[in-house]
Amino acid sequence: MLIGHRYEHTPDGDLRIRSYNWAQTGLALFIGPCALIIPLLFVGDAIARQHQPFPSLGPLPLLVIFLGFLLLMTLGLGLLLYTEIRETLLLSTRNGIARHSTTDMLGLREELRGEFALQAPKELVLRRRLYRTSADTTLWLVMDDDSEHPLSPVNVPVVPGSRQTDRWVDALAGYLHVPVRTVQLDPEPPAAVLAPAMPALPPRKRFISRKRRKKAARQARLGTPINDAGTKPAPRTVPANIRVFFALLGAFLAALELNHLISLVNALTTGSIRVAGYHSGASTYYWSEQPYSFAFLVLFGIVMVPLVGAFAYQCLRLAVTGHMKPTA
């Protein structure tokens, strides 16, 4: 079984559940070393073929290649250092403690996901959504004081009705001697609402002054409540390692965008566009000789300008601010 749980009963009477996801681990073990080796093989092959890598490239294309190699190696190193493959849930009724922790692939870092006092547990609540994916299903331990603690694993999905999930829930309920209650959220799909017999009249537009519109926009940017009905969700903080990765990705995309813009301007002013290839070499297309190929390459380059620029801006904004905009 590639994804599942392993149950251990210690001599002290504790229950230790180790969750594993060998599919995720194998993917990380394949992508991580490949991302570290590919740049070295690329440079080694270029040196073996031409005795010096990229002899005819300018400083900006060399910067793009260097940032791309650095981004690949950072991705590979990040996967090896931060992929959580070992996950342990320890329940000890003897000591009255519950502990949920994860360990990275190399075993150098252990992160404590949660730890709470295991005293007077009341019930296990399995919250499932009927019309959404199984990733929205979570298991919670409710105490006598109505406090709730999540028990769902990070790497293993909770699929209601599956044999693996039922065995996992039964093991927890049997050890804690508590009942299991299933709470079904979203009892009706949004599309099940019947249409009214007569179309409703559109609401009357209320006049809003320019000063009030500016004030509402300023409050929305600052994240302050716009009205008494609700508040804007707070942005989520991004960890430092994720910010470093997005900084490298944004710098790579920005350098690629600048190099692309320079090539596009040269193509429009000179009537020739140069397309580089690693094994086949560079090819030049002229407007006077290959008008269709030249027009296609120029139009494709124009379309790529706003797309790459938007991705570069968002990556750099996330790296600088360290906050992810809320989706709701």
Side-chain angles (χ1 to χ4, degrees):
M1 186 184 300
L2 296 178
I3 302 175
H5 309 278
R6 186 168 65 250
Y7 307 91
E8 300 177 1
H9 293 273
T10 64
D12 297 332
D14 302 338
L15 175 63
R16 182 182 292 110
I17 301 178
R18 302 183 185 273
S19 304
Y20 56 89
N21 190 333
W22 295 117
Q24 175 183 335
T25 303
L27 187 63
L29 284 175
F30 175 75
I31 296 179
C34 286
L36 292 174
I37 295 174
I38 284 176
L40 301 178
L41 293 179
F42 192 87
V43 174
D45 182 54
I47 294 176
R49 287 174 177 270
Q50 302 178 2
H51 303 290
Q52 53 176 334
F54 321 111
S56 59
L57 296 181
L60 188 57
L62 285 177
L63 178 62
V64 173
I65 295 174
F66 172 75
L67 289 175
F69 286 167
L70 186 60
L71 182 64
L72 269 179
M73 298 182 71
T74 304
L75 175 63
L77 190 61
L79 285 175
L80 294 178
L81 292 179
Y82 293 101
T83 300
E84 299 169 342
I85 63 169
R86 289 185 289 272
E87 183 174 357
T88 304
L89 175 64
L90 177 65
L91 301 177
S92 176
T93 55
R94 181 178 60 88
N95 298 325
I97 191 173
R99 189 173 185 269
H100 183 199
S101 61
T102 57
T103 309
D104 60 6
M105 187 176 300
L106 301 180
L108 302 177
R109 183 178 57 93
E110 182 179 4
E111 181 178 355
L112 183 63
R113 290 283 179 174
E115 186 175 7
F116 56 92
L118 193 63
Q119 297 177 355
K122 180 180 179 182
E123 61 179 353
L124 289 171
V125 178
L126 187 66
R127 294 192 177 100
R128 56 173 299 187
R129 299 186 182 274
L130 297 180
Y131 300 98
R132 297 189 182 181
T133 60
S134 60
D136 293 327
T137 302
T138 53
L139 182 67
W140 297 77
L141 176 61
V142 183
M143 315 301 286
D144 277 346
D145 56 355
D146 292 334
S147 61
E148 298 181 347
H149 304 280
L151 297 180
S152 300
V154 178
N155 297 329
V156 179
V158 181
V159 182
S162 65
R163 183 175 60 181
Q164 176 179 284
T165 299
D166 292 343
R167 182 187 176 190
W168 174 66
V169 174
D170 292 341
L172 292 173
Y175 179 77
L176 297 174
H177 303 288
V178 293
V180 181
R181 182 167 59 94
T182 301
V183 177
Q184 297 180 350
L185 306 178
D186 297 335
E188 294 183 359
V193 181
L194 298 178
M198 297 182 61
L201 296 176
R204 296 180 58 183
K205 294 183 178 180
R206 187 177 60 177
F207 175 77
I208 302 177
S209 63
R210 183 178 180 182
K211 182 178 180 181
R212 293 185 61 184
R213 288 199 302 268
K214 288 185 176 180
K215 182 179 179 181
R218 184 170 61 252
Q219 289 177 341
R221 287 195 303 269
L222 296 177
T224 56
I226 298 178
N227 48 38
D228 297 334
T231 58
K232 188 177 180 180
R236 292 179 294 175
T237 303
V238 180
N241 52 353
I242 304 297
R243 292 178 63 181
V244 171
F245 174 78
F246 275 99
L248 288 175
L249 180 59
F252 169 74
L253 292 176
L256 184 65
E257 176 82 344
L258 182 58
N259 182 59
H260 183 69
L261 283 174
I262 293 176
S263 301
L264 196 60
V265 171
N266 291 334
L268 293 175
T269 54
T270 61
S272 63
I273 185 170
R274 188 176 179 85
V275 180
Y278 179 65
H279 287 287
S280 60
S283 301
T284 304
Y285 296 87
Y286 298 93
W287 168 253
S288 59
E289 299 178 1
Q290 301 101 350
Y292 295 106
S293 300
F294 179 86
F296 173 77
L297 291 174
V298 170
L299 289 177
F300 180 77
I302 293 175
V303 171
M304 291 300 296
V305 167
L307 294 178
V308 178
F311 277 111
Y313 169 75
Q314 293 297 334
C315 292
L316 292 176
R317 182 198 62 79
L318 181 63
V320 172
T321 61
H323 296 287
M324 185 179 296
K325 292 183 179 180
T327 56

